[in-house]
Amino acid sequence: MRKNIHIPLFCFYKKEIITVFLIFFICIRNVDAQNIPDTIYLPEFEVITNYIQEKETAGMKKSKVDSIVMKEKINVSLSELLSENTTVFIKNHGRGALATASFRGTAASHTQVTWNGMNINSPMTGMVDFSLIPVYLIDDLNLKYGAASITDNSGGLGGSINISNTADWNNRFNLKYLQGLGSYSTFDEFLHIGWGKSNIQLKTRIYHNYSKNNYTYLNRSIINYNPETNTYENPIDTNNNADYTRYGLLQEIYFKPNERNVISVKYWFQDADRTIPRATSYEGPDNSNLNNQNDIHHKVVSDWSRYGEKSKLHLQSGYYYQNLLYNLINNVIGVGYIPAIYSKSHQQGFVNKVSYNYDFREDFSIEAVLNANYFTVNSIDTVKNIGYEGDRAEFSALIGLRKSFWKRLNLNLILKQEIVDSKFSPFVPFFGFNYKLLKNKTLFIKGNISRNYHLPSLNDLYWQPGGNPDLLPENGFSFELGVELISHHSEKIKIQSEITYFRNDINNWIIWLPSYRGYWEPMNISKVLSQGFEVDLKVTGKLRKLNYKITGSYAYTSSKNYGDALVWGDESYGKQLVYIPLHSGNVLVNFEYRGFYITYQHNSYSERFTTSSNDVSKRDWLYPYFMNDLFFGKDFSWDKISLSIEFKIYNLFNETYHSILYRPMPKRNYMLQILFKYN
């Protein structure tokens, strides 16, 4: 067992912290007079204009998930939405099982995730399980690619995913109820109640998901001899012991005492229980090697925003607690079921943030941000009686300077310093720009260059057995350059496209490998080079009473190991990292006419290797797959009541595919969804 004890950071850096806070309190004197921008709903109209991008995001690639996509995916997890509608690669261990995200050929721990501004990456693993985040808890979802993520948190070598909930200050009362019934005894239920006035808003969301998840599949991992036909055949197996249940609550309170101030508190509780199916290669008895995992979490975050004529002050404080219980049992003849693993893990996080923005002029602004976070982990396997205790204290300061020139050029300089467990982390600078190439056309060139780093997770350092306390932090430089075009051919059509080249040089990449001791251990790869390009296209328009929307994206991602060839050997040097597809893409086509709508969704990945040598002669690789979904439905409306009925077909062409080796995915399946609304 290992125990880390740390004295609060301010004891070591009292002078520096006091100086920064004095700057904040002096700036607060300027916070006055500005009315907070309310949400005002008007009849639908379109504004066509030339514009320059915000100087605060100059050089950054950001994307926002479309409202139609959010509507179509309301009953699924965030992992499915991201895999089918973005260039983010989702490593999915099976329907309802663990799902992690990878930007631009980086690892899952290189993706930072925030919920209403609070980082929710696990201090244990450094990752987020996206299968546990229901889409219908999300009001706004945006992605920041590459170095753009440093404005949220350090460590996002690939990027960040930001989940937000928002208030509707015009709401008086609304109610939504969703009921879904699908294949494999799948049931989805969701209730949303909102109430409020011009100065207070309350929103309550309650949900429950269940699936027996017992689909059949052709098991290509096992070959049986059929004496009747004198042939060898792959058996048809059932995905047994794979059921999952999730239920939870999201409560939001928004209060606006006056036009200058907004206060909010958000609380999210979830209990998720799932059995984990055995690998398709398993040929043991049915009553052995049974896995189960239970995740319970509580998250609460409070915010206060104060608006001035030229400034904004934002204070945030949050807390989360997560309890994870994993067990594996085997049946011993004459004894019964005996646990082989009974692992309990408790995680806590205290997150605090102060930010201040001031506009000296319309073309020049400054931002200052302070973060103070503290995390603890207690993990133990009671069968083997091994585990660890660890904690981590983080303090960071960020300064951002933004300047516009001639209403065509924006420059963005960010400087960030972090102190972790009383030690200075690498200094992080960021410089970005965007330039409007043509005065009367919305054609931009933009780019950035930045340094970034990522600390090992507490599991990487202290996991028993295998943790490596001598691991070095991952660090590197990133560069990206892109062109964005927004074109209005008429009032009836709008085209938005963007192409971006990126390059990440990452040193000391952390990877877990089997060791001579008989268990896996993490180690550093001296260098990984991830580079490629992304293409995004969005077309929206209207033909008389027919509304249409077409979106698509494509990514070419080369992520290769350039570590020491003497250590890795010729077979792995210069080869693609495992599970990273070289090509990926998706297309969505939506048509809507008089309340009827139909949506076609396609996404695909090229082959993925599961060995560092990329040896296609072995069976341990994943062949390309092409996934297709089709949704169609009808919206009905009567005064204050509306009803939406939708039928969904997943895996339209009945493809056989895998996301993870030895983890089967379902063939064609269906979902009937009814959404009732009262406003």
Side-chain angles (χ1 to χ4, degrees), residues 479-617:
F479 166 81
E480 70 178 62
L481 184 67
V483 177
E484 182 177 6
L485 171 67
I486 300 177
S487 175
H488 297 271
H489 292 288
S490 69
E491 294 186 0
K492 301 299 183 181
I493 185 172
K494 177 181 177 182
I495 301 175
Q496 184 172 350
S497 59
E498 183 173 2
I499 182 170
T500 305
Y501 167 78
F502 63 87
R503 177 186 173 111
N504 297 310
D505 291 84
I506 303 173
N507 301 316
N508 302 320
W509 182 286
I510 296 173
I511 185 171
W512 284 72
L513 296 171
S515 71
Y516 68 90
R517 295 182 178 92
Y519 49 79
W520 291 64
E521 292 181 325
M523 63 175 291
N524 292 110
I525 300 176
S526 59
K527 183 178 180 180
V528 167
L529 174 60
S530 173
Q531 61 180 332
F533 63 90
E534 300 158 335
V535 180
D536 300 280
L537 176 66
K538 181 178 180 179
V539 180
T540 58
K542 187 174 184 179
L543 295 173
R544 297 185 178 180
K545 294 185 178 182
L546 175 68
N547 296 296
Y548 64 88
K549 178 173 292 188
I550 303 171
T551 64
S553 62
Y554 165 78
Y556 173 85
T557 307
S558 171
S559 186
K560 295 184 177 181
N561 169 16
Y562 288 105
D564 190 342
L566 295 178
V567 176
W568 285 88
D570 293 336
E571 290 188 353
S572 299
Y573 184 84
K575 300 297 180 64
Q576 185 84 347
L577 295 184
V578 296
Y579 283 113
I580 302 298
L582 192 63
H583 305 278
S584 61
N586 60 77
V587 175
L588 181 143
V589 180
N590 172 264
F591 295 100
E592 187 273 328
Y593 178 78
R594 294 182 180 271
F596 291 93
Y597 58 88
I598 184 170
T599 302
Y600 167 73
Q601 171 79 61
H602 169 86
N603 74 295
S604 58
Y605 297 114
S606 63
E607 63 184 9
R608 285 137 290 143
F609 301 103
T610 62
T611 58
S612 58
S613 63
N614 294 181
D615 188 352
V616 296
S617 65

Side-chain angles (χ1 to χ4, degrees), residues 285-300:
D286 292 338
N287 56 359
S288 294
N289 211 27
L290 302 176
N291 301 257
N292 180 266
Q293 180 172 316
N294 179 251
D295 295 84
I296 298 176
H297 75 236
H298 301 267
K299 294 181 175 69
V300 60

Side-chain angles (χ1 to χ4, degrees), residues 158-183:
S160 66
I161 297 171
N162 305 281
I163 302 165
S164 300
N165 299 108
T166 57
D168 174 9
W169 294 105
N170 293 307
N171 176 59
R172 292 297 178 265
F173 178 78
N174 70 78
L175 182 146
K176 299 177 185 177
Y177 176 72
L178 171 72
Q179 177 68 67
L181 175 63
S183 302

Side-chain angles (χ1 to χ4, degrees), residues 208-447:
H208 172 259
N209 311 107
Y210 169 79
S211 178
K212 193 172 182 180
N213 209 19
N214 57 341
Y215 50 86
T216 59
Y217 62 94
L218 178 66
N219 191 344
R220 292 196 170 106
S221 301
I222 298 175
I223 299 178
N224 295 328
Y225 174 70
N226 188 337
E228 296 181 0
T229 60
N230 195 30
T231 59
Y232 290 92
E233 302 174 351
N234 298 117
I236 301 296
D237 283 341
T238 301
N239 192 50
N240 291 319
N241 303 304
D243 59 290
Y244 62 83
T245 302
R246 289 189 294 264
Y247 62 90
L249 163 74
L250 175 60
Q251 179 64 58
E252 305 164 61
I253 303 174
Y254 302 89
F255 178 54
K256 186 170 62 174
N258 52 53
E259 297 300 321
R260 300 183 195 175
N261 298 275
V262 175
I263 300 169
S264 69
V265 178
K266 306 174 186 76
Y267 168 70
W268 177 18
F269 162 78
Q270 180 169 271
D271 187 327
D273 191 85
R274 56 190 170 189
T275 53
I276 302 173
R278 291 167 294 215
T280 56
S281 58
Y282 177 78
E283 297 186 75
D286 292 338
N287 56 359
S288 294
N289 211 27
L290 302 176
N291 301 257
N292 180 266
Q293 180 172 316
N294 179 251
D295 295 84
I296 298 176
H297 75 236
H298 301 267
K299 294 181 175 69
V300 60
V301 61
S302 59
D303 295 85
W304 171 45
S305 296
R306 180 175 175 85
Y307 296 82
E309 183 178 355
K310 295 184 177 181
S311 60
K312 177 186 175 182
L313 174 67
H314 180 233
L315 306 179
Q316 183 180 79
S317 185
Y319 168 79
Y320 74 82
Y321 171 84
Q322 183 171 357
N323 180 61
L324 187 152
L325 174 62
Y326 170 79
N327 66 79
L328 184 150
I329 59 175
N330 292 299
N331 186 39
V332 178
I333 298 176
V335 179
Y337 286 100
I338 301 296
I341 299 176
Y342 193 85
S343 175
K344 298 186 294 184
S345 302
H346 307 283
Q347 306 170 59
Q348 291 188 91
F350 303 85
V351 180
N352 301 279
K353 178 180 179 180
V354 181
S355 67
Y356 181 77
N357 296 267
Y358 187 80
D359 293 321
F360 291 94
R361 298 187 303 272
E362 183 180 354
D363 62 353
F364 179 60
S365 65
I366 185 172
E367 178 185 18
V369 182
L370 290 177
N371 287 278
N373 308 323
Y374 180 70
F375 306 98
T376 66
V377 170
N378 185 329
S379 179
I380 186 170
D381 179 356
T382 59
V383 175
K384 299 178 181 178
N385 197 29
I386 58 175
Y388 76 92
E389 293 182 5
D391 62 356
R392 175 172 286 170
E394 301 175 351
F395 174 83
S396 67
L398 178 148
I399 295 292
L401 301 172
R402 287 78 185 233
K403 183 72 172 70
S404 297
F405 298 90
W406 318 296
K407 295 186 177 181
R408 295 180 67 176
L409 173 66
N410 288 329
L411 300 180
N412 184 6
L413 175 64
I414 298 174
L415 305 173
K416 188 172 186 178
Q417 178 65 64
E418 190 165 41
I419 304 169
V420 179
D421 292 340
S422 307
K423 296 180 181 180
F424 280 88
S425 297
F427 179 68
V428 176
F430 170 95
F431 176 74
F433 77 95
N434 60 40
Y435 180 70
K436 191 175 183 181
L437 293 172
L438 302 176
K439 186 175 181 180
N440 297 317
K441 300 291 184 180
T442 48
L443 176 64
F444 296 91
I445 182 171
K446 59 183 181 180

